Amino acid sequence: MPGSLVYVGEKRTQSVKLQLMDFTETDLTEKLLDRPEDCLAFKDSGSVSWINVTGIHDVEIVKKIGELFGIHALILEDILNSGQRPKLEEAEDYLFLVIKMLYVKPRESRITSEQVSVIIGQNYVLSFQEQEMDVFDPVRDRIRKTVPRVRFSNTDYLAYALIDAVVDHYFAIVEHLGDRVEEMEERLVVRPSTEDLQSIHELKRELIFMRKAVFPLREVIGNLERTESSLVHRSTRIYLRDLYEHTIQVIDTVETLRDTVSGLLDIYLSSVSNRMNEVMKVLTIIATIFIPLSFLAGVYGMNFDTSASPLNMPELHFPYGYIMFWVIALMVGFGLLWSFKRKRWL
Amino acid sequence: MPGSLVYVGEKRTQSVKLQLMDFTETDLTEKLLDRPEDCLAFKDSGSVSWINVTGIHDVEIVKKIGELFGIHALILEDILNSGQRPKLEEAEDYLFLVIKMLYVKPRESRITSEQVSVIIGQNYVLSFQEQEMDVFDPVRDRIRKTVPRVRFSNTDYLAYALIDAVVDHYFAIVEHLGDRVEEMEERLVVRPSTEDLQSIHELKRELIFMRKAVFPLREVIGNLERTESSLVHRSTRIYLRDLYEHTIQVIDTVETLRDTVSGLLDIYLSSVSNRMNEVMKVLTIIATIFIPLSFLAGVYGMNFDTSASPLNMPELHFPYGYIMFWVIALMVGFGLLWSFKRKRWL
Amino acid sequence: MPGSLVYVGEKRTQSVKLQLMDFTETDLTEKLLDRPEDCLAFKDSGSVSWINVTGIHDVEIVKKIGELFGIHALILEDILNSGQRPKLEEAEDYLFLVIKMLYVKPRESRITSEQVSVIIGQNYVLSFQEQEMDVFDPVRDRIRKTVPRVRFSNTDYLAYALIDAVVDHYFAIVEHLGDRVEEMEERLVVRPSTEDLQSIHELKRELIFMRKAVFPLREVIGNLERTESSLVHRSTRIYLRDLYEHTIQVIDTVETLRDTVSGLLDIYLSSVSNRMNEVMKVLTIIATIFIPLSFLAGVYGMNFDTSASPLNMPELHFPYGYIMFWVIALMVGFGLLWSFKRKRWL
Amino acid sequence: MPGSLVYVGEKRTQSVKLQLMDFTETDLTEKLLDRPEDCLAFKDSGSVSWINVTGIHDVEIVKKIGELFGIHALILEDILNSGQRPKLEEAEDYLFLVIKMLYVKPRESRITSEQVSVIIGQNYVLSFQEQEMDVFDPVRDRIRKTVPRVRFSNTDYLAYALIDAVVDHYFAIVEHLGDRVEEMEERLVVRPSTEDLQSIHELKRELIFMRKAVFPLREVIGNLERTESSLVHRSTRIYLRDLYEHTIQVIDTVETLRDTVSGLLDIYLSSVSNRMNEVMKVLTIIATIFIPLSFLAGVYGMNFDTSASPLNMPELHFPYGYIMFWVIALMVGFGLLWSFKRKRWL
Amino acid sequence: MPGSLVYVGEKRTQSVKLQLMDFTETDLTEKLLDRPEDCLAFKDSGSVSWINVTGIHDVEIVKKIGELFGIHALILEDILNSGQRPKLEEAEDYLFLVIKMLYVKPRESRITSEQVSVIIGQNYVLSFQEQEMDVFDPVRDRIRKTVPRVRFSNTDYLAYALIDAVVDHYFAIVEHLGDRVEEMEERLVVRPSTEDLQSIHELKRELIFMRKAVFPLREVIGNLERTESSLVHRSTRIYLRDLYEHTIQVIDTVETLRDTVSGLLDIYLSSVSNRMNEVMKVLTIIATIFIPLSFLAGVYGMNFDTSASPLNMPELHFPYGYIMFWVIALMVGFGLLWSFKRKRWL
């Protein structure tokens, strides 16, 4: 049912955390809020309030915040449904952004994505993340340290800083993938193994996954830069433009990696087939040399009655018969070897 | 002939069902209509009337409804021809929408599509489906339960709810396909079989089929959102925007699945060729070891006349001849095995 | 030389046929004209005149008609050159359309195309086709039977009916191709043959051929619908819109078929390689079993002098030597068979 | 250095030829000019002057003409550099066009391109070509023969005629390539050879080469048709439109040929692999039949001491032993043959 | 942190070089500046000042220059981060350009890229490069030699000259790559080796690398040409247009090379498989001829007791038995050879 609030995502049990940073150019209040209602005091203050909600599995809390800040039910639904594409929606008195935080889980090397939703109001910024990540810590540090906080006095710059933190992390992910591609590349040439095929397939899938998260972000940031909403100030646009370029850089690198990975498959298949060919060559050479020789040996193992006629296998009685057999056998063998050499099969 | 009404689709024999829901913000009338003419009473009432026609194979009934509501002959033709692409057409006093309902038949796992046509008038909504499906039941439930029916007092919201029900079902289909892809992926690596190739081809075809049904819907909903028709109210547009995002999400996932399935083919082919290579290796190793040994045995099976000359096969008379033969044979055999091991063929 | 009139197309010898239908809402005159000059009488009458020219290889007749109706030399050149792409050209007092009629020759199953040129004037429609086809017969029937001919009183509707007849025929062609693809699909899985490769290539080529004929038509009809020419009336536009949708439907199906045919090639190649693998397996199994056994038989065929030393082949004199040979041979044989079975090579 | 005039192209030594055609609707002067300065007399006459420069390797002559007609240094640079893409540039009082003349060298079947530069002034047309080609001869003939030269009284029509001559020649090239593709297609099915692969690669490359020359021309002619320059008259635009259609037709055919050539590679690879499979089958069948038989013969060649025990190879003393051997051998042989037949390997 | 100045690129230790060229139409001052502060004197002089900074690893110097010329922190960040894409940014009183200088390192044949940043002010041009390259030397020469320096009196023309120098160098790179592709092509047909696969992969990667550097440049130059900034004069636009065409020419050639390299992979794979097939054929032929013959020899090596029955191997006692064996063996051998010849396997 549209507008009905249901959490869609991984099951989680941690308690939800509400982190508040409320600041003006000079003052700063930081605290952990116990209840969503505590936000209210900061909503219409002159200061900029950033409320970061960690954990969206508690539908009631998100709903309460939604009510307090007058957020449309459909947007709350999007916040709770962690399968959104990155997007920008403009309501009358706030902007709503969905972006994807990507990270590599330490144990496994798989890329996972977390949905980050940001609501930019006149003097508040709400950010929702699925679980605690330290990606916003540098932003907190900068707010604490930059005094006077001239730029941060606008919520749009704060929002930019949050998105920028996420996009900056993309570069780390891209580098991680790039390293894996390069490593694979070197391994493939030296010694391709059956598992490599699956690794290539996985790399491909992760690049598709990454692309899906980053590609729509380009348009989102582009739209945010060009929006007519008064919430985005002229002075912030140059930062958004910069962010836009960064996003394109990430996309570019992802595309390049995809091209490279496609090439890896060719190398793998070709390496495998090269090894196979080597095996076949050895079989051919051994078989080709010994099959005629075996025939010759078979001939002189025949039991034709040499006493019935002098035409029956007189070679058997030649004094040098056996030696001539070996001479012929070695000549045939080395002759074939030489002809293989000449054909460059060896 | 353009405008001539002929049913194009699967043969069906069930009788056509006309379900009426007529409601205002507070009152609700539900009944099954016997004849199309019974619709007339509800056409121009102040209430919102939703007439759902199940079964379009009875041309006469569709024609009659068309006449009663003043629907253009070409549009009736489209309703009857179940091979339409999703589309939106704007007439002067109504909007006409074609969408594709997708479902997985319980017995077989194939995706089938049913055409759903929706006509949005000032105070009526006509929906036509090929056969009874329970996809609209949640909408009926919501109409029954939501009191007062503020949103439903506009026909465009009702139409939105119907399309939303169809699109929501797409997610189930996509998940079903995703599961099949994942299952296939795991199976391929462990033990690829000849039927897998055909399954991959079928998956591919179903993804193409799905894409064909969903892709044009994006534009349809986009156009519906941006239409200048007074039938679509400002308040509904945000819902249509949300629906639009959902459609893109479905398309995105379908595209990702297509990419993955393409990769599956590579895995399949490579798995098959890997198994083949293993078979070939065994042949090579067995043959390469025994062919030279057989030659040696053949040599000492020759009947050169040892009495004719002491040069003829003197080895046969050596006291350790036979033992030396075995020593040589084993040395050659193990030597080759060792060299294969060193070349990593084993 | 531009504007010089030369017939470009297959050599033909039949005589050119000029079919006239001249009608108002109530009256109808049908006759075969002997000479192009006979058209003149109908050119500026108040009635709608449709002159269908069958056979464009007689340049003189086309030239004469061109002069009588004031058609630009370049357009006459296009009519005569049967290698045009579908296109729409707007002159001051007429519209010029080129479309491609596709049909499957009864004997061969190849798709052939014929160029159909249509000129829409204020109260005349000229249509040119390369040879007689019955595709326009249903249009003639409708003109004869629909009384009063309200819609046909505009030349644009008549032209629409002609194009619609051609596009309707596309569906038959698409179905024909679809049937061939499906048939091929079933055959490939059961028993791929060498000719199938060529059939796939031919199917591909015909789909490219079809695409080339239909793809530009989409734009042609789209432009015709949106033209500012007063020759296209508002009432006809809804029909053109419908035609446009049909064209897209055809293109969609052609694209889907192309995707499917690409998949067929993969199935073919994989089927062939599967069969090859089976053959190789049999070779491997037979060879792998008998090569060691042959060696063993070879060993006991050696002529080491058992009288020279008791170490020389004592087995030959064992009372159970021969039986033990068979026991060992069968054990080796069945042991290998069993190990192949375990590796799932059988 | 930009604007510095250097000839870039093949080394040539022929002397440069300046051909002048100066004409009004009624009069015509044709002569070979000795020096560039001779052009000057015709530059501002009321008549249309066409100066065709054959050979651009003499930088001085081109420079002189540039000065006389006031051509920008960058444009002269482009004329001299034969590696330009087709393009249109609009200067204040002239238009500058680069197109590519394609031709097939008689000895080799490779496609070569020559750069043709055209400058359209108010009453002069300058055309520059790398070496003498007869492609402009038909244009000269038409100028000579068409009296009065109404259309040629505008320089834009003359320029159109020149481009048209070049584009017309493309059709010949496309046909030449089409013939080669078809020929290759037939050969591949019957008897694929190793050189075919390279021929396919060459065809591919020539199609890419051709595409590179023709593709940008579409835009060039489109821009020329839509230009706001007063040098292109309304009456000429319909001819340019026609030319535009021709260019698209060429591109279309080139694209179709590229698709077909891609298919050829599949056919080639598959043909080769089919032949390989046949070879393998023969090996398998021969080996599979004779390997067990050889084993059997080997068994009865063993030297077990029949006198040591009646269990040692009693078959050797059976009166029908040898005949039974042959019976068994033939049964095994034909049995295997029959089983191969049943598996359709033969 | 956005706007924080960190050098991102290869570690370098050379000292940073500041080269100044300050000139009017007639006068010219050239010197090496010791400290960034020395620039200040030239900033607002009436003359054009070009300051070329070689080495951007000394953040302090770049920062100082940025302060002196009032460059935005984000732009300084871009200058220092050598992983930028080519781009154009317009600030109020200057334009900022990033382009990529490509060069081939003399020892290795790999393409490397260096970032070149250009800032165009009213009467100054700042250029930043990572390390000393002689690509700007021709521009310096031209400034020195062209007197009066009419064109160079605008900074936009100077900037154009710098970009042009970079783009001109692209042609050399493209030619280098083209040579390598051609060389590879010839080698592949004659004698494909295992390393070729990797070389093809490397070529592919370098073409992707090159494309990534050149592709965005097209848009950059296009935007520079169309910019509304008063810093770009009308007279310079024709040069930028020319530059734009050059860039497209480079992109075109890169794309063509990529197509060709894709084809090379097919040739490689096919060459390898052809050689493999040849090897297999030899095996087949040798085996197919000798396997039946060995069987025959094996038969006459059997020890059936000819004294037990006259039916046991009577051939052994025929006076011409042995000769007949050879006759049959040669007939079988040559018969098979002949049949292979007829099947064109030889």
Side-chain angles (χ1 to χ4, degrees), chain A residues 267-312:
Chain A
I267 291 195
Y268 168 77
L269 292 175
S270 205
S271 275
V272 163
S273 120
N274 273 336
R275 292 178 71 81
M276 179 67 193
N277 286 0
E278 256 179 67
V279 171
M280 289 306 297
K281 263 190 220 160
V282 167
L283 170 62
T284 307
I285 287 155
I286 299 276
T288 312
I289 289 172
F290 283 101
I291 285 176
L293 298 186
S294 284
F295 167 66
L296 207 64
V299 165
Y300 293 111
M302 295 192 300
N303 298 320
F304 280 99
D305 187 355
T306 57
S307 62
S309 146
L311 293 173
N312 273 355

Side-chain angles (χ1 to χ4, degrees), chain E residues 241-277:
Chain E
R241 177 86 210 153
D242 198 60
L243 194 54
Y244 183 82
E245 292 285 342
H246 287 180
T247 316
I248 291 186
Q249 232 168 296
V250 172
I251 292 169
D252 249 41
T253 319
V254 169
E255 291 302 306
T256 307
L257 283 176
R258 284 182 70 193
D259 274 347
T260 312
V261 169
S262 295
L264 286 186
L265 190 69
D266 291 330
I267 291 195
Y268 169 77
L269 292 175
S270 205
S271 275
V272 164
S273 119
N274 273 336
R275 292 178 70 82
M276 179 67 193
N277 286 2

